[in-house]
Amino acid sequence: MKKLYKCLWILLGFLLIEEMAHGQKENVALWGKTNQSSIYEGFYSGLAIDGLLTSWTHTNPETNPWWRVDLLKVYRVNRVTITNRPTFDYRLNGAVIRIGNFLDIYSNTICGVISTLEAGDTATFSCGGMVGRYMVVHIPGDQKILSIVEAGVYGYLAGNRAIGGATIQSSTSQNWFAEKAVDGNRGLQQLYTGCSSTLNEADPWWRLDLHDVYRVNKVVVTNRNDCCAEQINGAEIRIGNSLENNGINNPICAVIPAIPPGESYSYSCDGLDGRYVIIHVPGDQKILALCEVEVYGYLAGTCLKRSFVKLLFHSSKDLTDSTMRENVLKQLGSALADRGITDVTLKWSQTPKQEVMRKVNDKRRCDTRQ
Ligand SMILES: *[C@@H]1O[C@H](CO)[C@@H](O)[C@H](O)[C@H]1NC(C)=O
């Protein structure tokens, strides 16, 4: 009763995992800025991220009290922890935990709800990689008090590096401030308030300071939806480290021919390095309006980690076929994505070796004797 099994030893190389050091073990809320709907007798919002179990936040009794941490960058959040008070433990009952990019609480996605929590206990909520800059806890209802001992947020930095960057533009039309192009909102929901715009002038420009030098792979620009979509035509995307001529002398990543109203178009910059991203419309009598600018890339020079992973597959697929090999990489990629790990590039470092082997007693092992 000897059965032949195909066992494949596969050497999988260049599993690039970015910024694992900034990973799940660290409570990223500790670096954030907090706020809450009201402050009862000095129990301010920062007490939920002071690392102490002996202090807590406290709002006034009110309708829909909330507490929020701004993580200052966008994270893919895997879990949130909330620690309850030793006394008056019912004050977290019914609290809703949300993750997202919106200052409007209810636009963010629900990660969990606390029905009840024992005094002094810590509850952990799995958010499965929800993406957001804010973690909000709120209690729906009247005459509610929200009181939190500690709040933790664990996850990885997510794609868009523009969030949290500093913005400036050549001039500003009404309240179309420069930072609205990096508010994490492509502007489609808040048509007239979610976008930046300069005045009508010669050579308008908008500039983002990423604070660090990034190797930029792509820039995604969302055009205005209300009118005048053609204003973006001919805009140049520039990336570099120079502030000369307001940054306009930096190398060009792309020139935008046109973007339909309200659409987001992606421009590949193929690894241009820079701290500044500039968008500039050359010419007289121009207006530069941007509903969102997203920047994707890696911290230059530092953060690419390479790991070689050796895998043993039981497979009947023919991995000498390159399409099959690509399929296996895709499957691995989506398995990692399910675990919230998306900033990875998978490549074969060498063609898998295939050995046809005989099954031995232990089902999980293969014998190398033919
Ligand atoms: C904090 O929240 C209060 C209440 O909504 C608001 O008035 C205040 O401007 C907020 N502060 C900051 C720094 O966002």
XYZ file of all heavy atoms in Angstrom, residues 290-332:
344
model
N -7.420 70.602 -4.983
C -7.098 69.187 -4.771
C -8.034 68.634 -3.716
O -8.127 69.176 -2.620
C -5.647 69.044 -4.284
C -4.570 69.541 -5.239
C -3.248 69.739 -4.502
C -4.391 68.561 -6.398
N -8.743 67.538 -4.040
C -9.639 66.966 -3.031
C -8.925 65.947 -2.165
O -9.298 65.753 -1.022
C -10.884 66.407 -3.684
S -11.971 67.771 -4.159
N -7.898 65.299 -2.698
C -7.045 64.457 -1.858
C -5.763 64.161 -2.618
O -5.781 63.969 -3.831
C -7.759 63.139 -1.476
C -7.126 62.384 -0.313
C -7.210 63.092 1.059
O -7.930 64.115 1.178
O -6.541 62.649 1.998
N -4.677 64.156 -1.876
C -3.394 63.717 -2.416
C -2.894 62.613 -1.497
O -2.757 62.818 -0.295
C -2.370 64.870 -2.466
C -1.019 64.347 -2.959
C -2.874 66.001 -3.351
N -2.696 61.419 -2.048
C -2.179 60.295 -1.266
C -0.789 59.939 -1.776
O -0.543 59.983 -2.977
C -3.112 59.086 -1.422
C -4.467 59.303 -0.773
C -5.558 58.485 -1.435
O -5.461 57.259 -1.445
O -6.511 59.105 -1.964
N 0.075 59.610 -0.860
C 1.460 59.301 -1.212
C 1.800 57.921 -0.653
O 1.604 57.666 0.537
C 2.418 60.354 -0.613
C 3.864 60.020 -0.950
C 2.055 61.750 -1.110
N 2.278 57.039 -1.521
C 2.625 55.686 -1.095
C 4.105 55.437 -1.349
O 4.634 55.831 -2.380
C 1.786 54.655 -1.856
C 0.320 54.808 -1.547
C -0.472 55.695 -2.269
C -0.258 54.123 -0.492
C -1.820 55.876 -1.964
C -1.596 54.283 -0.174
C -2.369 55.157 -0.918
O -3.691 55.344 -0.602
N 4.754 54.820 -0.387
C 6.169 54.513 -0.552
C 6.771 54.061 0.748
O 6.061 53.822 1.729
N 8.070 53.941 0.750
C 8.789 53.455 1.926
C 9.732 54.524 2.426
O 10.236 55.318 1.639
C 9.619 52.220 1.573
C 8.800 51.083 1.063
C 8.687 50.829 -0.298
C 8.125 50.267 1.949
C 7.919 49.781 -0.760
C 7.358 49.221 1.499
C 7.254 48.980 0.140
O 6.500 47.944 -0.308
N 9.997 54.527 3.709
C 11.026 55.406 4.245
C 12.317 55.083 3.510
O 12.719 53.928 3.444
C 11.222 55.149 5.741
C 10.330 55.934 6.695
C 10.599 55.489 8.106
C 10.540 57.426 6.541
N 12.956 56.087 2.950
C 14.126 55.840 2.113
C 15.270 55.279 2.941
O 15.538 55.725 4.038
C 14.564 57.133 1.426
N 15.920 54.269 2.380
C 17.157 53.786 2.982
C 17.027 52.877 4.172
O 17.874 52.036 4.376
N 15.958 52.987 4.959
C 15.987 52.298 6.233
C 15.094 51.072 6.332
O 15.520 50.040 6.816
C 15.559 53.243 7.360
O 14.319 53.819 6.989
C 16.600 54.301 7.584
N 13.880 51.202 5.875
C 12.884 50.298 6.412
C 12.633 49.007 5.667
O 11.798 48.221 6.082
C 11.569 51.022 6.605
S 11.594 51.832 8.187
N 13.329 48.793 4.571
C 13.064 47.539 3.888
C 13.799 46.412 4.578
O 15.010 46.444 4.731
C 13.501 47.611 2.428
C 12.633 48.482 1.555
C 13.078 48.374 0.118
C 11.185 48.107 1.674
N 13.059 45.466 5.036
C 13.683 44.303 5.652
C 13.494 43.137 4.711
O 12.419 42.945 4.170
C 13.002 43.985 6.974
C 13.302 44.991 8.036
C 12.768 44.514 9.352
C 13.091 45.551 10.416
N 12.501 45.204 11.683
N 14.547 42.372 4.539
C 14.429 41.209 3.668
C 14.514 39.949 4.490
O 15.430 39.801 5.284
C 15.546 41.230 2.634
C 15.393 42.395 1.712
C 16.376 42.364 0.596
N 15.896 43.304 -0.410
C 16.464 43.498 -1.577
N 17.529 42.805 -1.904
N 15.954 44.359 -2.425
N 13.573 39.085 4.329
C 13.627 37.801 5.019
C 13.519 36.695 3.979
O 12.723 36.786 3.054
C 12.456 37.658 5.983
O 12.384 38.789 6.803
N 14.339 35.691 4.147
C 14.214 34.506 3.304
C 13.393 33.485 4.077
O 13.685 33.198 5.227
C 15.587 33.925 2.981
C 16.334 34.754 1.995
C 17.095 35.822 2.421
C 16.245 34.483 0.644
C 17.775 36.603 1.517
C 16.920 35.262 -0.269
C 17.690 36.325 0.163
N 12.406 32.984 3.428
C 11.566 31.998 4.085
C 11.615 30.718 3.265
O 11.494 30.749 2.042
C 10.111 32.498 4.181
C 9.249 31.466 4.868
C 10.057 33.814 4.915
N 11.837 29.628 3.958
C 11.890 28.336 3.276
C 10.580 27.609 3.571
O 10.194 27.479 4.731
C 13.074 27.562 3.825
C 13.420 26.308 3.110
C 14.699 25.773 3.740
C 14.956 24.352 3.359
N 16.129 23.841 4.072
N 9.904 27.199 2.552
C 8.604 26.574 2.754
C 8.561 25.171 2.164
O 9.158 24.910 1.125
C 7.507 27.398 2.073
C 7.266 28.802 2.596
C 6.252 29.496 1.711
C 6.781 28.781 4.020
N 7.858 24.312 2.851
C 7.618 22.967 2.324
C 6.142 22.869 1.938
O 5.267 23.133 2.742
C 7.939 21.937 3.402
C 7.553 20.498 3.090
C 8.346 19.972 1.909
C 7.792 19.632 4.321
N 5.924 22.575 0.689
C 4.554 22.462 0.206
C 4.212 21.008 -0.104
O 5.044 20.290 -0.654
C 4.403 23.198 -1.132
C 4.133 24.649 -0.992
C 5.096 25.492 -0.484
C 2.922 25.181 -1.399
C 4.866 26.840 -0.379
C 2.686 26.530 -1.302
C 3.664 27.362 -0.795
N 3.003 20.631 0.190
C 2.447 19.418 -0.407
C 1.602 19.925 -1.559
O 0.631 20.625 -1.339
C 1.536 18.689 0.573
C 2.286 18.030 1.672
N 2.619 16.707 1.648
C 2.773 18.527 2.826
C 3.279 16.402 2.752
N 3.386 17.492 3.487
N 1.996 19.638 -2.744
C 1.252 20.212 -3.851
C 1.266 19.299 -5.051
O 2.261 18.637 -5.335
C 1.861 21.566 -4.221
O 1.267 22.025 -5.402
N 0.159 19.262 -5.721
C 0.131 18.486 -6.957
C 0.297 19.417 -8.149
O 0.292 18.989 -9.287
C -1.201 17.744 -7.043
O -2.232 18.683 -6.922
N 0.432 20.725 -7.852
C 0.589 21.694 -8.943
C 2.000 21.615 -9.505
O 2.948 21.294 -8.801
C 0.350 23.106 -8.403
C -1.000 23.253 -7.729
C -1.852 24.257 -8.455
C -3.292 24.236 -7.993
N -3.454 24.716 -6.640
N 2.111 21.950 -10.747
C 3.414 21.938 -11.393
C 4.069 23.311 -11.236
O 3.765 24.246 -11.972
C 3.241 21.604 -12.874
C 4.575 21.655 -13.600
O 5.627 21.705 -12.912
O 4.557 21.654 -14.843
N 4.968 23.427 -10.276
C 5.558 24.733 -10.000
C 6.748 25.059 -10.902
O 7.404 26.075 -10.727
C 5.955 24.832 -8.532
C 4.745 24.888 -7.587
C 5.196 24.915 -6.148
C 3.869 26.096 -7.866
N 6.989 24.212 -11.879
C 7.964 24.624 -12.888
C 7.289 25.596 -13.864
O 7.948 26.286 -14.621
C 8.506 23.411 -13.668
O 7.387 22.707 -14.214
C 9.299 22.478 -12.766
N 5.977 25.664 -13.775
C 5.200 26.584 -14.606
C 5.145 27.951 -13.907
O 4.711 28.058 -12.760
C 3.795 25.981 -14.766
C 2.854 26.912 -15.517
O 3.273 28.034 -15.853
O 1.704 26.513 -15.742
N 5.577 29.002 -14.591
C 5.701 30.311 -13.933
C 4.331 30.868 -13.514
O 4.219 31.558 -12.499
C 6.429 31.304 -14.837
O 5.640 31.570 -15.970
N 3.277 30.557 -14.255
C 1.941 31.031 -13.878
C 1.526 30.428 -12.546
O 0.957 31.098 -11.679
C 0.903 30.646 -14.951
O 1.474 30.902 -16.220
C -0.368 31.433 -14.801
N 1.843 29.134 -12.374
C 1.537 28.458 -11.112
C 2.299 29.111 -9.967
O 1.769 29.301 -8.878
C 1.945 26.984 -11.190
C 0.991 26.154 -11.996
S -0.616 26.086 -11.195
C -1.523 25.168 -12.410
N 3.563 29.429 -10.241
C 4.376 30.047 -9.179
C 3.788 31.403 -8.775
O 3.711 31.735 -7.598
C 5.819 30.242 -9.654
C 6.598 28.950 -9.743
C 8.088 29.203 -9.678
N 8.596 30.045 -10.747
C 8.933 29.601 -11.957
N 8.808 28.334 -12.257
N 9.395 30.433 -12.865
N 3.328 32.172 -9.774
C 2.716 33.468 -9.473
C 1.441 33.271 -8.642
O 1.165 34.036 -7.721
C 2.383 34.227 -10.763
C 3.585 34.803 -11.464
C 4.483 35.622 -10.539
O 3.973 36.540 -9.885
O 5.692 35.310 -10.437
N 0.694 32.230 -8.978
C -0.541 31.955 -8.237
C -0.263 31.662 -6.773
O -0.997 32.113 -5.897
C -1.286 30.775 -8.852
C -2.049 31.199 -10.092
O -2.258 32.400 -10.307
N -2.435 30.245 -10.915
N 0.816 30.898 -6.528
C 1.160 30.589 -5.142
C 1.511 31.877 -4.396
O 1.098 32.086 -3.253
C 2.326 29.573 -5.080
C 2.845 29.432 -3.657
C 1.868 28.220 -5.589
N 2.266 32.771 -5.047
C 2.610 34.051 -4.407
C 1.359 34.852 -4.088
O 1.235 35.455 -3.024
C 3.525 34.877 -5.312
C 4.976 34.435 -5.438
C 5.789 35.487 -6.163
C 5.604 34.155 -4.077
N 0.409 34.856 -5.023
C -0.847 35.587 -4.798
C -1.589 35.032 -3.595
O -2.125 35.782 -2.773
C -1.745 35.507 -6.036
C -1.447 36.600 -7.031
C -2.457 36.594 -8.168
C -1.884 37.301 -9.387
N -2.365 36.748 -10.639
N -1.628 33.703 -3.502
C -2.322 33.080 -2.364
C -1.647 33.439 -1.049
O -2.312 33.758 -0.070
C -2.328 31.562 -2.523
C -3.398 31.091 -3.495
C -3.306 29.595 -3.760
O -2.776 28.862 -2.934
N -3.806 29.166 -4.898
N -0.300 33.404 -1.053
C 0.434 33.779 0.156
C 0.165 35.238 0.514
O -0.046 35.585 1.671
C 1.933 33.617 -0.070
C 2.509 32.249 0.225
C 3.930 32.179 -0.299
C 2.479 31.989 1.721
